[in-house]
Amino acid sequence: DELMRRADAAMYEAKTTGRDMARFYSAETDQRALARQTLEQHLRRALEREEFSLHYQPRVDARSGELLSMEALVRWRHPTLGMVAPGEFIPLAEATGLIVRIGEIVIDKACAQLAAWREAGVALVPVSINVSPKQFLRGGVQRQLSAALVKHRVPASLIEVEITESAMMGDQDDILAELAALRALGVKLHVDDFGTGYSSLSQLQRLKMDVLKVDRAFTTELANSKEGKVFFQAIVSMAHALGMSVVAEGVETEEQLAILRHLDCNEVQGYYIARPMPAQEMAVV
Ligand code: C2E
Ligand code: MG
Ligand code: MG
């Protein structure tokens, strides 16, 4: 029984760390499993107790600095653990399927916030939301989003959807159908973390993606090496030739911003411009 239990624990770990791999059992396997179970319980309770909120990070025109849009980033404040980073709980939420309910909360909160800003007379810019591939199964995102847009009386043109490059590769059919449905609603589509997956730009063009968000790793390289600039330049020219606009993620210095302007990158986002912040602070930017 113990052998079977341990084999099962190792298999579970292999599955949750990304499938297609082998794992050996060790004492830490049990510790990690316990930590995961605890976090999962906290996460389920967080859904009941509504511990999630959204922070917003501006995305601005690289030349004029004009605010063009903002990205909604989920935040989880646990009563005793404090802030838990998305990097810690999103993978678990994906593995357990809880991401579908979290995603629904994010969609509803983003639309509710747009409606609140409109009531307050704030000039509106689109909000982009991040979605995981798991949310796409059975048309989930399109259904949730349509409902929230109607509920809060927000036009689809004010919502944009970000999907990571790596998420667009796996089992394509569900995802392709949902992307098409979202586009038909009038929602703009962004490729997130571009450069970390293995998609080709021509494939992204076939999928009619509107915006390419180049991963922070490439922005960091800009000022470090000649190759860094060459890479970014190549991405920008190809994206432009294919009719996509380019956003640099993770801009942290004046120098990076200057180079990006020179390379004709359209938009920038990062700590140098502004950190993600609660909605109240966002309204005064
Ligand atoms: P992302 O979509 O690529 O979001 C950008 C991340 O980079 C955010 O981290 C943001 O706080 C951080 N960032 C922005 N500017 C800078 C900078 O100048 N320097 C550095 N070092 N970091 C910067 P965050 O909020 O921790 O989110 C991490 C990831 O979690 C996101 O990456 C996204 O993939 C995922 N995520 C966040 N919110 C959601 C959500 O509502 N749903 C889903 N499915 N995933 C989400
Ligand atoms: Mg994103
Ligand atoms: Mg990103």
Side-chain angles (χ1 to χ4, degrees), residues 50-278:
E50 304 189 13
E51 291 167 0
F52 297 101
S53 65
L54 294 182
H55 277 189
Y56 297 86
Q57 187 179 34
R59 222 176 67 218
V60 305
D61 185 284
R63 287 182 191 279
S64 67
E66 182 197 354
L67 176 68
L68 297 176
S69 165
M70 42 206 173
E71 177 169 8
L73 294 157
V74 71
R75 294 293 176 259
W76 172 22
R77 186 185 290 282
H78 183 271
T80 54
L81 299 175
M83 279 290 198
V84 187
E88 275 180 56
F89 70 86
I90 297 278
L92 182 70
E94 286 177 339
T96 52
L98 291 172
I99 192 68
V100 176
R101 284 168 65 199
I102 295 175
E104 191 163 16
I105 292 173
V106 168
I107 287 171
D108 188 70
K109 283 194 187 295
C111 292
Q113 188 59 58
L114 278 162
W117 275 325
R118 181 183 53 208
E119 296 309 307
V122 176
L124 296 181
V125 294
V127 169
S128 64
I129 53 169
N130 294 282
V131 298
S132 304
K134 283 272 165 62
Q135 292 173 253
F136 276 132
L137 300 176
R138 296 180 300 276
V141 178
Q142 191 253 336
R143 207 174 43 242
Q144 292 173 355
L145 191 55
S146 312
L149 291 172
V150 171
K151 176 177 164 198
H152 298 288
R153 293 186 296 114
V154 170
S157 57
L158 283 178
I159 292 287
E160 304 177 337
V161 163
E162 301 195 5
I163 171 165
T164 60
E165 186 191 19
S166 47
M168 299 174 56
M169 295 178 317
D171 304 301
Q172 289 256 332
D173 285 356
D174 275 339
I175 294 180
L176 293 188
E178 269 249 271
L179 291 178
L182 286 172
R183 198 176 312 110
L185 274 182
V187 171
K188 275 217 179 112
L189 304 175
H190 298 212
V191 185
D192 206 351
D193 303 346
F194 180 76
T196 57
Y198 296 93
S199 63
S200 68
L201 282 164
S202 66
Q203 184 196 4
L204 298 179
Q205 194 215 15
R206 241 190 339 271
L207 298 177
K208 300 207 181 62
M209 305 301 288
D210 301 284
V211 180
L212 210 63
K213 299 190 77 171
V214 182
D215 192 72
R216 181 162 65 88
F218 292 87
T219 306
T220 308
E221 268 314 300
L222 279 175
N224 290 348
S225 65
K226 184 163 165 289
E227 290 74 23
K229 288 191 203 70
V230 171
F231 263 121
F232 217 108
Q233 174 79 78
I235 296 174
V236 171
S237 7
M238 285 192 69
H240 284 174
L242 296 169
M244 285 179 272
S245 127
V246 181
V247 180
E249 297 191 86
V251 177
E252 294 183 347
T253 68
E254 167 82 63
E255 188 186 9
Q256 290 167 350
L257 179 60
I259 299 171
L260 288 164
R261 281 185 180 138
H262 186 69
L263 296 181
D264 221 14
C265 175
N266 307 85
E267 301 171 28
V268 290
Q269 181 176 345
Y271 294 169
Y272 181 70
I273 292 88
R275 288 188 176 249
M277 57 189 124

